[in-house]
Amino acid sequence: MPRQLFVTTALPYANGNFHIGHIMEYIQADIWVRHQRMQGNAVNFVGADDTHGAPIMIAAEKAGITPQQFVANIAAGRKPYLDGFHIAFDNWHSTDAPENHALAQQIYRDLKANGLISSKVIEQFFDPEKNMFLPDRFIKGECPKCHAKDQYGDNCEVCGSVY
Ligand SMILES: [Zn+2]
């Protein structure tokens, strides 16, 4: 009896072009997908750009364009890499798609309705010029564990601590 399989990979972060690590993972997944199809199984092989996060904001700011423009440029450059390695996703999409927004909001509402979301007040750095709260990647300072200078707010590249 044929199996119905849904296959995906880690979604690549849209802050840069594919690198060899992405392609290696896709080749491995593509081989497995082709094998399953040769066995008579039905496979839906999907991927998407992960379009959210501070590294994209930082890269876009460096490039002098909006994060949306930056992500669109990265997305436009994906096809030659995939075609060049004969990797054939059935669908390639984006985490910034309307259906993903609706689904994420529905999951949040369901969790909230079932008492699984709690709120608490936290302190966070704020940039009054940009009028925005700053993600950890925008904060640099001394590592509280090894005291290395000039480390990002989410991890220390000297001692490997993650905050
Ligand atoms: Zn450290």
Side-chain angles (χ1 to χ4, degrees), residues 54-66:
I56 291 171
M57 291 172 61
I58 293 169
E61 194 172 302
K62 261 188 204 165
I65 56 180
T66 67

PDB file of all heavy atoms in Angstrom, residues 54-66:
ATOM      1  N   ALA A  54      16.440  38.937  13.426  1.00  0.00           N
ATOM      2  CA  ALA A  54      17.375  40.054  13.480  1.00  0.00           C
ATOM      3  C   ALA A  54      18.474  40.001  12.409  1.00  0.00           C
ATOM      4  O   ALA A  54      18.828  41.048  11.861  1.00  0.00           O
ATOM      5  CB  ALA A  54      17.993  40.143  14.875  1.00  0.00           C
ATOM      6  N   PRO A  55      19.055  38.815  12.087  1.00  0.00           N
ATOM      7  CA  PRO A  55      20.103  38.819  11.053  1.00  0.00           C
ATOM      8  C   PRO A  55      19.626  39.381   9.710  1.00  0.00           C
ATOM      9  O   PRO A  55      20.395  40.009   8.988  1.00  0.00           O
ATOM     10  CB  PRO A  55      20.502  37.346  10.940  1.00  0.00           C
ATOM     11  CG  PRO A  55      20.220  36.798  12.299  1.00  0.00           C
ATOM     12  CD  PRO A  55      18.952  37.502  12.743  1.00  0.00           C
ATOM     13  N   ILE A  56      18.344  39.174   9.387  1.00  0.00           N
ATOM     14  CA  ILE A  56      17.800  39.745   8.145  1.00  0.00           C
ATOM     15  C   ILE A  56      17.714  41.265   8.272  1.00  0.00           C
ATOM     16  O   ILE A  56      18.073  41.999   7.347  1.00  0.00           O
ATOM     17  CB  ILE A  56      16.431  39.130   7.805  1.00  0.00           C
ATOM     18  CG1 ILE A  56      16.615  37.664   7.413  1.00  0.00           C
ATOM     19  CG2 ILE A  56      15.738  39.910   6.688  1.00  0.00           C
ATOM     20  CD1 ILE A  56      15.332  36.880   7.263  1.00  0.00           C
ATOM     21  N   MET A  57      17.250  41.730   9.433  1.00  0.00           N
ATOM     22  CA  MET A  57      17.175  43.182   9.653  1.00  0.00           C
ATOM     23  C   MET A  57      18.549  43.821   9.529  1.00  0.00           C
ATOM     24  O   MET A  57      18.714  44.872   8.907  1.00  0.00           O
ATOM     25  CB  MET A  57      16.590  43.476  11.043  1.00  0.00           C
ATOM     26  CG  MET A  57      15.130  43.121  11.184  1.00  0.00           C
ATOM     27  SD  MET A  57      14.549  43.260  12.892  1.00  0.00           S
ATOM     28  CE  MET A  57      14.820  44.985  13.213  1.00  0.00           C
ATOM     29  N   ILE A  58      19.558  43.162  10.101  1.00  0.00           N
ATOM     30  CA  ILE A  58      20.922  43.693  10.067  1.00  0.00           C
ATOM     31  C   ILE A  58      21.452  43.694   8.631  1.00  0.00           C
ATOM     32  O   ILE A  58      22.009  44.691   8.169  1.00  0.00           O
ATOM     33  CB  ILE A  58      21.848  42.878  10.996  1.00  0.00           C
ATOM     34  CG1 ILE A  58      21.429  43.096  12.459  1.00  0.00           C
ATOM     35  CG2 ILE A  58      23.310  43.241  10.776  1.00  0.00           C
ATOM     36  CD1 ILE A  58      22.088  42.151  13.448  1.00  0.00           C
ATOM     37  N   ALA A  59      21.263  42.594   7.919  1.00  0.00           N
ATOM     38  CA  ALA A  59      21.754  42.497   6.533  1.00  0.00           C
ATOM     39  C   ALA A  59      21.057  43.516   5.637  1.00  0.00           C
ATOM     40  O   ALA A  59      21.693  44.136   4.777  1.00  0.00           O
ATOM     41  CB  ALA A  59      21.551  41.079   5.998  1.00  0.00           C
ATOM     42  N   ALA A  60      19.757  43.706   5.844  1.00  0.00           N
ATOM     43  CA  ALA A  60      19.007  44.676   5.035  1.00  0.00           C
ATOM     44  C   ALA A  60      19.490  46.095   5.322  1.00  0.00           C
ATOM     45  O   ALA A  60      19.638  46.903   4.396  1.00  0.00           O
ATOM     46  CB  ALA A  60      17.508  44.546   5.317  1.00  0.00           C
ATOM     47  N   GLU A  61      19.726  46.372   6.581  1.00  0.00           N
ATOM     48  CA  GLU A  61      20.196  47.709   6.946  1.00  0.00           C
ATOM     49  C   GLU A  61      21.562  47.995   6.309  1.00  0.00           C
ATOM     50  O   GLU A  61      21.790  49.071   5.780  1.00  0.00           O
ATOM     51  CB  GLU A  61      20.270  47.814   8.475  1.00  0.00           C
ATOM     52  CG  GLU A  61      20.417  49.242   8.971  1.00  0.00           C
ATOM     53  CD  GLU A  61      20.283  49.329  10.480  1.00  0.00           C
ATOM     54  OE1 GLU A  61      19.236  48.924  10.998  1.00  0.00           O
ATOM     55  OE2 GLU A  61      21.246  49.779  11.116  1.00  0.00           O
ATOM     56  N   LYS A  62      22.449  46.985   6.331  1.00  0.00           N
ATOM     57  CA  LYS A  62      23.770  47.127   5.698  1.00  0.00           C
ATOM     58  C   LYS A  62      23.636  47.387   4.204  1.00  0.00           C
ATOM     59  O   LYS A  62      24.397  48.161   3.629  1.00  0.00           O
ATOM     60  CB  LYS A  62      24.592  45.838   5.902  1.00  0.00           C
ATOM     61  CG  LYS A  62      25.579  45.910   7.030  1.00  0.00           C
ATOM     62  CD  LYS A  62      26.465  44.681   7.014  1.00  0.00           C
ATOM     63  CE  LYS A  62      27.012  44.446   8.409  1.00  0.00           C
ATOM     64  NZ  LYS A  62      27.576  43.124   8.586  1.00  0.00           N
ATOM     65  N   ALA A  63      22.667  46.689   3.575  1.00  0.00           N
ATOM     66  CA  ALA A  63      22.459  46.841   2.127  1.00  0.00           C
ATOM     67  C   ALA A  63      21.684  48.111   1.783  1.00  0.00           C
ATOM     68  O   ALA A  63      21.556  48.457   0.608  1.00  0.00           O
ATOM     69  CB  ALA A  63      21.730  45.609   1.581  1.00  0.00           C
ATOM     70  N   GLY A  64      21.124  48.775   2.786  1.00  0.00           N
ATOM     71  CA  GLY A  64      20.392  50.012   2.548  1.00  0.00           C
ATOM     72  C   GLY A  64      19.013  49.807   1.930  1.00  0.00           C
ATOM     73  O   GLY A  64      18.512  50.672   1.216  1.00  0.00           O
ATOM     74  N   ILE A  65      18.418  48.631   2.180  1.00  0.00           N
ATOM     75  CA  ILE A  65      17.083  48.345   1.650  1.00  0.00           C
ATOM     76  C   ILE A  65      16.214  47.818   2.799  1.00  0.00           C
ATOM     77  O   ILE A  65      16.714  47.521   3.879  1.00  0.00           O
ATOM     78  CB  ILE A  65      17.128  47.326   0.481  1.00  0.00           C
ATOM     79  CG1 ILE A  65      17.832  46.025   0.917  1.00  0.00           C
ATOM     80  CG2 ILE A  65      17.821  47.947  -0.728  1.00  0.00           C
ATOM     81  CD1 ILE A  65      17.902  44.968  -0.190  1.00  0.00           C
ATOM     82  N   THR A  66      14.917  47.673   2.535  1.00  0.00           N
ATOM     83  CA  THR A  66      14.020  47.169   3.572  1.00  0.00           C
ATOM     84  C   THR A  66      14.234  45.659   3.739  1.00  0.00           C
ATOM     85  O   THR A  66      14.688  44.985   2.796  1.00  0.00           O
ATOM     86  CB  THR A  66      12.539  47.405   3.204  1.00  0.00           C
ATOM     87  OG1 THR A  66      12.222  46.593   2.066  1.00  0.00           O
ATOM     88  CG2 THR A  66      12.268  48.876   2.919  1.00  0.00           C
TER      89      THR A  66
END
